[in-house]
Amino acid sequence: MSYVLGHNQYGKAEVHVVRVFRESRESRHDIVDYNVSVALSGDFADAHITGDQANVLTTDACKNTVNAFAKEAGDAVRAPESFAVALADHFVDDVPQVASATITVEAFPWQRIGDQPHAFRRVDDYVRTVTVRRGNDGDRPASVVSGLTGYVVLKTTDSEFHGFYQDRYTTLQPTNDRVMATAVTARWAHESNENADWNGAFDTVVDALTTAFADSYSYALQQTIWEMGQKALDAAPGVAEIRLSCPNKHHFVIDLSPFDLSNDNEVFHADDRPYGLIEATVKRSADVDMSAAYDPGQAW
Amino acid sequence: MSYVLGHNQYGKAEVHVVRVFRESRESRHDIVDYNVSVALSGDFADAHITGDQANVLTTDACKNTVNAFAKEAGDAVRAPESFAVALADHFVDDVPQVASATITVEAFPWQRIGDQPHAFRRVDDYVRTVTVRRGNDGDRPASVVSGLTGYVVLKTTDSEFHGFYQDRYTTLQPTNDRVMATAVTARWAHESNENADWNGAFDTVVDALTTAFADSYSYALQQTIWEMGQKALDAAPGVAEIRLSCPNKHHFVIDLSPFDLSNDNEVFHADDRPYGLIEATVKRSADVDMSAAYDPGQAW
Amino acid sequence: MSYVLGHNQYGKAEVHVVRVFRESRESRHDIVDYNVSVALSGDFADAHITGDQANVLTTDACKNTVNAFAKEAGDAVRAPESFAVALADHFVDDVPQVASATITVEAFPWQRIGDQPHAFRRVDDYVRTVTVRRGNDGDRPASVVSGLTGYVVLKTTDSEFHGFYQDRYTTLQPTNDRVMATAVTARWAHESNENADWNGAFDTVVDALTTAFADSYSYALQQTIWEMGQKALDAAPGVAEIRLSCPNKHHFVIDLSPFDLSNDNEVFHADDRPYGLIEATVKRSADVDMSAAYDPGQAW
Amino acid sequence: MSYVLGHNQYGKAEVHVVRVFRESRESRHDIVDYNVSVALSGDFADAHITGDQANVLTTDACKNTVNAFAKEAGDAVRAPESFAVALADHFVDDVPQVASATITVEAFPWQRIGDQPHAFRRVDDYVRTVTVRRGNDGDRPASVVSGLTGYVVLKTTDSEFHGFYQDRYTTLQPTNDRVMATAVTARWAHESNENADWNGAFDTVVDALTTAFADSYSYALQQTIWEMGQKALDAAPGVAEIRLSCPNKHHFVIDLSPFDLSNDNEVFHADDRPYGLIEATVKRSADVDMSAAYDPGQAW
């Protein structure tokens, strides 16, 4: 039978490159730590159908490019957004058979130890993420989505949940005081791929999300997500929309009455699975459509 | 400022339910082992914007529904596809404010120990996956995507890679004999959501993929994927398309010459990262468009 | 202040080496897949205290040795036990400052696809493990501990649990019919480091463990472990003792009565944490003491 | 045949309990987050051999005890060391058939968000660990080992490695400037199980380890570990010994010369496996022997 090759892409995933910025061995050093993935689409059908690799830029060359750009891309290397834009532009502009490129970066935060010029510690509160796509039209500029994942926050009160829909399978009791915790994944799409201070812009959004979570009184995780999204858009004028994916990390009040102990929201079982999963997009206006900016493999 | 709530969904993720089929304690038992996630969309804006939960079916009720259906859905429980269809139909048909439902299942394979009626062992060669979506139009039938993930296969020869594109960053040497290994993720979309033997249909596709991998001579992983996709469509007439995502698990020939040892493709370093990642769709015909059937969070 | 350097060891961990046995490109190939760790002790205090590395065999050389031995150790490479013995003997016999060596191996099982001479699939039911130690006395032969980890088995009935001790914190209800499941980690110490068929001997013990689990009626996981250990010693005459570590992977009967459904041990919640953890040693006789044969980091 | 039951223990593992300290809903709250495992030994042979459970404190009761103690153990709950001592004392003192108890705790750090009274964020730089053992002699006091794991630190220079031993398998080139990084696991044994400020004592050791890593010039990871251990003992007078297990997280200088780029220790490949693993004990004096204080499953 005769079948058809549909959408296809390829590249090198998880190129883990660390760049040290140093003028000399003795100078004060800086560091960035990126895990970079490259996915290319274009005129690659022959590689599948006839086995002819003449058009295939090897995934090994993709890796080499990431590593070389960590040196030659200059100050663009200092933020994952600008580093990814440089890479996407290169693949689309310089490799003729590439029609589109998706660059994703996990950036691992490090913190200087005291004021030591050469020593650092990993700060694993979250992983910073970037998705840059340069689309099928070579003249269209690359899009930029910033984000983070694994950012765990919790409030010990100021959270209610009641008045919900009842069906045959509803047994949950309403509550006006509970622990609410989540591990935030957020991605926000920028209107432009240029920014003089991507790192500062990232911190601004994280601060807005954190403050919104901490300060808002909650009637549901849904509502808290909406608050977080709004505060992020308030704080970051160039952000067109933000997508939040928040597992409800359930903390169940343990019944201590068999042991003649009270438990006034003091002792909780932190459960693993299952978990509620609440996901929402907050957009600056109704006509925003940034869907092409996201990696299709990262819906939220 | 006034912002807009964009796409949103919620539900319970990773409800890990095990169903034992037994007529009596002494009878021969069967078992299925599912990790089920439910995501619902519909008229849920108030939960975000005003905090009013009147429309919200709790995620706890979603969990209860999965567990109850493991008993009351009858023979549909015996295959993850039919179980997921039953759940999707329920949420869309029976909960008025739900406009669409996505049910994803990880099914963990178990094998009977010998002919023992009550004892089983996990077979972890892969995890079977199912995505069922009942779309925004309540009359449209649920779509079904079957799949597997983590299926690791390797060939020790019959694999070449040469004749590829050369750019400034290309240093890879061509080869006419190499180890090729991958951990297959595959998802295939069915034309219908009815099948008298989902479990047999799954095995048919796995056999086709396995045989295609083992028997095809390879000029690139791209070509092998194309072979695997074609053979799957050959074997499974009701499958409209198949998507394959195959990391190239690199096995590098180790240079043993410093130790005066030859290495004629005998000793390899199995590397972790980075890895090539090759992804492609094989469709039965050019006008197949099953994109709405996939979970947006699972691009491949 | 003046402190003292206590026990110390070092080496290379997780050298992931794959060996293909092939007479020619066309011949029938075999494969082994090992993740090897080397830990050395001896006269290495200067490396710590004065920074003088003159005695230090580099961890890079440890890696090179593992890779080279995958070629030059001949048939010993075909079983992880004999491969590890060859490595331990080398480090103690050939590197003067090494007083003792611990070699641990994870061996990943592969299965030939059909009768294809060059194609294989990973079989992930368990990982096979080996610990070989050559002790501080250079003349003492290396000890060998074989094992497996992550072997998940389940029985749907033939398991009771009652008559247990009651204290203030006991609320569990007794049962005479339950699901019992575990992920077996087992390690068994051999009386000799020579065996003409290590691979066959491993299969014999796995079969004994499996059959004992499947066929024994259980009054507690403790009792089942005791049965498994005894059957392993019955089957493998050269095994001095076996240590079993078995998490009780709890399957809780779900209360479906709120939905007017019965649940006669049919629908279970497979919980993640916490879990019972039962560990025991079964010895061939009271005077067996194999404790020096185990990696101190692997108590069970 | 007649076999012998050797060492055995059992209990509940990974009881994940979160305790909120609150005087009222409105007051300023504090939080601790513990993952607690209990292992008991004693007169439990019958549970294995005859199936008689009369002596068995159920693992479910172990879980209940952990949860109840999170309420009733008072201020002892505020530090994982004192919480674990309270649990170990209870099991040995109050359950007659228990001869010894090992309590291990993973404590997950949280940080208050700003000065918000009820909102917190996880700080995942490391997990704090505690092992408390109350031995076979009921009158012997419980021993306490504090620790941390997963603490990742890196220095961009001030690290050399040369002058090492050369054998047939040595190919590594010496260097006088390299990146050195590790993920510290440390455990330190206290002379007493009483401390008015366990949390402060923990911070003191972490600061000492961090400063020693950052400020010491290194001729090998071995030497740095020795420095870290000494500084920890300097800072914490009640600590008898400290054990450090430090994987050498290799950062390899990437050869950029094929692309006509220099690389003066600027661009590195952060490799996953294999890795050097350096482990050492630093003791306050030669006659210190704390080996009984450690969990046998945690050699370092």
Side-chain angles (χ1 to χ4, degrees):
Chain A
M1 239 186 247
S2 165
Y3 302 120
V4 174
L5 180 69
H7 179 57
N8 60 91
Q9 66 179 27
Y10 82 101
K12 197 66 118 192
E14 301 205 34
V15 181
H16 192 173
V17 62
V18 169
R19 170 68 196 274
V20 176
F21 300 94
R22 51 183 254 170
E23 290 179 15
S24 72
R25 184 166 167 170
E26 293 75 25
S27 67
R28 185 179 177 91
H29 297 178
D30 290 322
I31 188 174
V32 295
D33 182 352
Y34 297 152
N35 191 28
V36 182
S37 297
V38 174
L40 306 176
S41 289
D43 183 7
F44 300 112
D46 280 354
H48 292 274
I49 294 170
T50 71
D52 180 347
Q53 306 300 311
N55 265 4
V56 170
L57 180 72
T58 65
T59 68
D60 190 73
C62 295
K63 176 196 71 178
N64 289 344
T65 307
V66 171
N67 289 330
F69 268 59
K71 179 68 188 288
E72 63 185 339
D75 280 344
V77 185
R78 289 180 179 265
E81 287 87 350
S82 43
F83 185 55
V85 169
L87 284 164
D89 283 348
H90 161 71
F91 287 116
V92 173
D93 289 338
D94 299 345
V95 186
Q97 62 273 31
V98 170
S100 69
T102 301
I103 312 294
T104 50
V105 184
E106 294 178 301
F108 306 110
W110 291 83
Q111 186 178 70
R112 189 178 301 279
I113 297 177
D115 196 44
Q116 225 279 356
H118 310 136
F120 302 84
R121 52 188 281 183
R122 271 276 293 270
V123 186
D124 281 339
D125 302 7
Y126 47 75
V127 173
R128 181 174 167 185
T129 63
V130 167
T131 304
V132 165
R133 306 195 84 192
R134 177 79 181 272
N136 279 303
D137 173 352
D139 294 333
R140 202 193 317 162
S143 58
V144 178
V145 175
S146 300
L148 56 71
T149 189
Y151 184 38
V152 179
V153 287
L154 176 149
K155 49 201 313 173
T156 52
T157 187
D158 305 332
S159 167
E160 309 190 3
F161 189 56
H162 49 71
F164 39 76
Y165 180 78
Q166 303 280 333
D167 79 346
R168 179 186 162 200
Y169 301 103
T170 303
T171 57
L172 187 73
Q173 295 304 305
T175 177
N176 72 345
D177 187 10
R178 62 171 186 171
V179 162
M180 187 170 74
T182 185
V184 179
T185 293
R187 301 187 202 278
W188 49 97
H190 301 275
E191 288 165 354
S192 158
N193 68 21
E194 294 187 14
N195 190 321
D197 182 15
W198 284 114
N199 294 333
F202 174 80
D203 291 341
T204 297
V205 173
V206 177
D207 284 351
L209 294 171
T210 306
T211 305
F213 177 84
D215 291 350
S216 64
Y217 196 95
S218 177
Y219 290 95
L221 185 48
Q222 278 89 333
Q223 193 201 18
T224 300
I225 289 176
W226 171 246
E227 290 293 325
M228 293 168 77
Q230 288 186 104
K231 289 292 184 296
L233 294 184
D234 281 351
V239 171
E241 70 167 38
I242 181 166
R243 299 182 177 188
L244 290 137
S245 175
C246 294
N248 194 339
K249 295 175 76 74
H250 302 301
H251 286 66
F252 295 117
V253 176
I254 298 171
D255 179 10
L256 299 179
S257 63
F259 323 121
D260 291 324
L261 297 168
S262 64
N263 185 5
D264 182 23
N265 276 356
E266 293 164 288
V267 182
F268 297 88
H269 168 55
D271 205 30
D272 295 300
R273 291 190 296 180
Y275 50 90
L277 182 57
I278 318 295
E279 300 179 304
T281 307
V282 184
K283 307 162 80 159
R284 197 165 288 281
S285 71
D287 56 344
V288 166
D289 180 4
M290 302 300 290
S291 52
Y294 294 83
D295 182 356
Q298 301 167 328
W300 292 95
Chain B
M1 240 188 245
S2 165
Y3 301 121
V4 174
L5 180 69
H7 179 57
N8 59 90
Q9 65 180 26
Y10 82 100
K12 196 67 120 191
E14 302 206 35
V15 181
H16 192 172
V17 62
V18 168
R19 169 68 196 273
V20 176
F21 299 94
R22 51 183 255 172
E23 290 179 17
S24 71
R25 185 167 168 169
E26 293 74 25
S27 67
R28 185 179 178 91
H29 297 178
D30 291 322
I31 188 175
V32 295
D33 182 353
Y34 297 152
N35 192 27
V36 182
S37 297
V38 174
L40 306 176
S41 288
D43 183 6
F44 300 112
D46 280 353
H48 292 274
I49 294 170
T50 70
D52 179 348
Q53 306 301 310
N55 264 6
V56 170
L57 180 74
T58 66
T59 68
D60 190 73
C62 295
K63 175 197 72 179
N64 289 343
T65 307
V66 171
N67 289 329
F69 269 58
K71 178 68 189 287
E72 64 184 339
D75 279 344
V77 184
R78 288 180 179 264
E81 287 88 350
S82 43
F83 185 55
V85 168
L87 284 165
D89 282 348
H90 162 71
F91 286 116
V92 172
D93 289 338
D94 299 345
V95 186
Q97 61 274 33
V98 170
S100 69
T102 301
I103 311 294
T104 50
V105 184
E106 295 179 301
F108 306 109
W110 291 85
Q111 187 179 68
R112 189 178 301 279
I113 296 177
D115 197 43
Q116 225 280 356
H118 310 135
F120 302 85
R121 53 188 282 182
R122 271 276 293 270
V123 187
D124 281 339
D125 302 7
Y126 48 74
V127 172
R128 181 174 167 185
T129 62
V130 167
T131 304
V132 165
R133 305 194 85 191
R134 177 79 181 272
N136 280 302
D137 172 353
D139 294 332
R140 201 192 322 160
S143 58
V144 178
V145 175
S146 301
L148 58 72
T149 190
Y151 183 39
V152 179
V153 288
L154 176 149
K155 50 202 310 174
T156 53
T157 186
D158 305 332
S159 167
E160 309 189 4
F161 189 57
H162 48 71
F164 38 77
Y165 180 78
Q166 305 279 332
D167 78 346
R168 180 187 161 200
Y169 301 103
T170 303
T171 59
L172 187 73
Q173 295 303 304
T175 177
N176 72 345
D177 188 8
R178 63 170 187 172
V179 162
M180 187 170 74
T182 185
V184 179
T185 294
R187 301 187 201 279
W188 50 96
H190 301 275
E191 288 165 353
S192 157
N193 68 22
E194 294 186 15
N195 190 321
D197 182 15
W198 285 114
N199 294 334
F202 175 81
D203 291 342
T204 297
V205 173
V206 177
D207 284 350
L209 295 172
T210 306
T211 304
F213 177 86
D215 291 350
S216 63
Y217 196 94
S218 177
Y219 289 94
L221 184 49
Q222 278 88 333
Q223 193 201 17
T224 300
I225 289 175
W226 170 246
E227 290 295 323
M228 293 166 78
Q230 288 186 104
K231 290 291 184 295
L233 294 183
D234 281 350
V239 172
E241 71 167 37
I242 180 167
R243 297 182 178 189
L244 290 137
S245 175
C246 293
N248 195 338
K249 296 175 75 74
H250 302 301
H251 286 67
F252 295 116
V253 176
I254 297 171
D255 179 10
L256 299 179
S257 64
F259 323 120
D260 292 323
L261 296 168
S262 64
N263 185 4
D264 182 23
N265 276 355
E266 294 164 288
V267 182
F268 298 86
H269 169 56
D271 205 31
D272 296 299
R273 292 190 296 180
Y275 49 91
L277 182 58
I278 318 294
E279 301 179 305
T281 307
V282 184
K283 306 164 80 158
R284 195 164 288 280
S285 70
D287 57 343
V288 166
D289 180 4
M290 303 299 290
S291 53
Y294 294 83
D295 182 356
Q298 301 166 328
W300 294 95
Chain C
M1 240 188 245
S2 166
Y3 302 121
V4 174
L5 179 69
H7 179 56
N8 59 91
Q9 64 180 26
Y10 81 100
K12 195 67 117 191
E14 302 205 35
V15 181
H16 191 173
V17 62
V18 169
R19 169 69 196 273
V20 176
F21 300 94
R22 52 183 254 171
E23 291 179 16
S24 71
R25 185 167 167 169
E26 293 74 25
S27 66
R28 185 179 178 90
H29 297 178
D30 291 322
I31 189 175
V32 295
D33 183 352
Y34 297 152
N35 192 28
V36 182
S37 297
V38 174
L40 307 175
S41 289
D43 183 7
F44 300 112
D46 279 354
H48 291 273
I49 295 170
T50 71
D52 179 347
Q53 306 300 312
N55 265 5
V56 170
L57 181 74
T58 66
T59 68
D60 191 72
C62 295
K63 175 196 72 179
N64 289 344
T65 307
V66 171
N67 289 329
F69 268 58
K71 179 68 189 287
E72 63 185 339
D75 279 344
V77 184
R78 289 180 179 265
E81 286 89 349
S82 43
F83 185 55
V85 168
L87 285 164
D89 283 348
H90 162 71
F91 287 116
V92 173
D93 289 338
D94 299 344
V95 186
Q97 61 273 32
V98 170
S100 69
T102 301
I103 311 294
T104 51
V105 184
E106 295 180 300
F108 306 109
W110 290 85
Q111 186 178 69
R112 190 178 300 280
I113 296 177
D115 196 43
Q116 225 280 356
H118 310 136
F120 301 86
R121 53 187 283 183
R122 270 277 293 270
V123 187
D124 281 339
D125 302 7
Y126 48 75
V127 172
R128 180 173 167 186
T129 62
V130 167
T131 304
V132 165
R133 305 194 86 192
R134 178 80 180 272
N136 279 303
D137 172 354
D139 295 331
R140 201 193 319 162
S143 58
V144 178
V145 175
S146 299
L148 57 71
T149 189
Y151 184 38
V152 180
V153 287
L154 176 149
K155 50 203 310 175
T156 53
T157 186
D158 305 332
S159 167
E160 309 189 3
F161 189 57
H162 49 70
F164 39 76
Y165 180 77
Q166 303 280 333
D167 79 346
R168 180 185 161 201
Y169 301 103
T170 303
T171 58
L172 187 73
Q173 295 303 305
T175 177
N176 72 345
D177 188 8
R178 62 171 186 171
V179 162
M180 187 171 72
T182 185
V184 179
T185 294
R187 301 187 201 278
W188 50 96
H190 301 276
E191 288 164 354
S192 156
N193 68 21
E194 293 186 16
N195 189 319
D197 182 14
W198 284 114
N199 295 334
F202 174 81
D203 291 343
T204 297
V205 173
V206 176
D207 284 350
L209 294 172
T210 306
T211 305
F213 177 85
D215 291 350
S216 63
Y217 196 95
S218 177
Y219 289 95
L221 184 49
Q222 277 90 333
Q223 193 200 19
T224 299
I225 289 175
W226 170 246
E227 290 294 324
M228 293 167 77
Q230 289 187 104
K231 290 292 184 296
L233 294 184
D234 281 349
V239 171
E241 70 167 37
I242 180 166
R243 298 182 177 189
L244 290 137
S245 175
C246 293
N248 194 338
K249 295 175 74 76
H250 301 301
H251 286 66
F252 295 116
V253 176
I254 298 171
D255 178 11
L256 300 179
S257 63
F259 322 121
D260 293 323
L261 297 168
S262 65
N263 185 5
D264 182 23
N265 277 355
E266 293 164 288
V267 182
F268 297 87
H269 168 56
D271 205 29
D272 296 299
R273 291 190 296 179
Y275 49 90
L277 182 57
I278 318 295
E279 302 179 303
T281 307
V282 184
K283 307 163 80 157
R284 197 165 287 281
S285 70
D287 56 343
V288 166
D289 180 4
M290 303 299 290
S291 52
Y294 294 82
D295 182 357
Q298 300 166 329
W300 293 96
Chain D
M1 241 188 245
S2 165
Y3 301 121
V4 174
L5 179 69
H7 179 57
N8 60 90
Q9 65 179 27
Y10 82 101
K12 197 67 117 190
E14 302 205 36
V15 181
H16 192 173
V17 62
V18 169
R19 169 67 196 273
V20 177
F21 300 94
R22 51 183 255 173
E23 290 179 15
S24 72
R25 186 168 167 169
E26 293 75 24
S27 67
R28 186 179 178 90
H29 297 179
D30 291 321
I31 188 175
V32 295
D33 182 354
Y34 296 153
N35 192 27
V36 182
S37 296
V38 174
L40 307 176
S41 289
D43 183 7
F44 300 112
D46 279 354
H48 292 274
I49 294 171
T50 71
D52 180 347
Q53 306 300 311
N55 265 5
V56 170
L57 180 73
T58 66
T59 68
D60 191 73
C62 296
K63 175 196 72 178
N64 289 344
T65 306
V66 171
N67 289 329
F69 268 58
K71 179 68 189 289
E72 63 185 339
D75 279 344
V77 184
R78 289 180 179 264
E81 287 88 350
S82 43
F83 185 55
V85 168
L87 284 165
D89 282 348
H90 161 72
F91 286 116
V92 172
D93 289 338
D94 299 345
V95 185
Q97 62 274 31
V98 171
S100 69
T102 302
I103 311 294
T104 50
V105 183
E106 294 178 300
F108 306 110
W110 290 84
Q111 186 178 69
R112 189 178 301 281
I113 297 177
D115 196 43
Q116 225 280 357
H118 310 135
F120 302 85
R121 53 188 282 183
R122 271 276 292 271
V123 186
D124 281 338
D125 302 7
Y126 48 74
V127 173
R128 181 174 166 185
T129 61
V130 167
T131 305
V132 165
R133 306 194 85 191
R134 178 81 180 272
N136 278 303
D137 173 353
D139 294 332
R140 201 193 320 161
S143 58
V144 178
V145 176
S146 300
L148 57 71
T149 190
Y151 183 38
V152 179
V153 288
L154 176 150
K155 50 203 310 173
T156 53
T157 187
D158 305 333
S159 166
E160 309 188 3
F161 189 58
H162 49 70
F164 39 76
Y165 181 78
Q166 303 281 333
D167 78 346
R168 180 187 162 200
Y169 301 103
T170 303
T171 58
L172 187 72
Q173 295 303 304
T175 177
N176 72 344
D177 188 8
R178 62 171 186 172
V179 161
M180 187 170 75
T182 185
V184 179
T185 294
R187 301 187 202 277
W188 50 95
H190 301 276
E191 289 165 352
S192 157
N193 69 22
E194 294 187 14
N195 190 321
D197 182 15
W198 285 113
N199 295 333
F202 174 81
D203 291 341
T204 297
V205 173
V206 177
D207 284 350
L209 295 171
T210 305
T211 304
F213 177 85
D215 290 351
S216 63
Y217 196 94
S218 177
Y219 290 94
L221 185 48
Q222 277 90 333
Q223 193 201 17
T224 300
I225 289 176
W226 170 246
E227 290 294 323
M228 294 168 76
Q230 287 187 104
K231 289 292 184 297
L233 295 183
D234 281 350
V239 171
E241 71 167 37
I242 180 167
R243 299 182 177 188
L244 290 137
S245 175
C246 293
N248 194 338
K249 296 176 74 74
H250 301 301
H251 285 67
F252 295 117
V253 176
I254 298 171
D255 178 11
L256 299 179
S257 63
F259 323 122
D260 292 323
L261 296 169
S262 64
N263 185 5
D264 182 23
N265 276 355
E266 294 165 288
V267 182
F268 298 87
H269 169 56
D271 205 30
D272 296 299
R273 291 190 295 180
Y275 50 91
L277 182 58
I278 318 295
E279 301 179 304
T281 307
V282 184
K283 307 163 80 158
R284 197 165 287 279
S285 70
D287 57 342
V288 166
D289 180 3
M290 302 299 291
S291 53
Y294 293 83
D295 182 357
Q298 300 166 328
W300 293 94

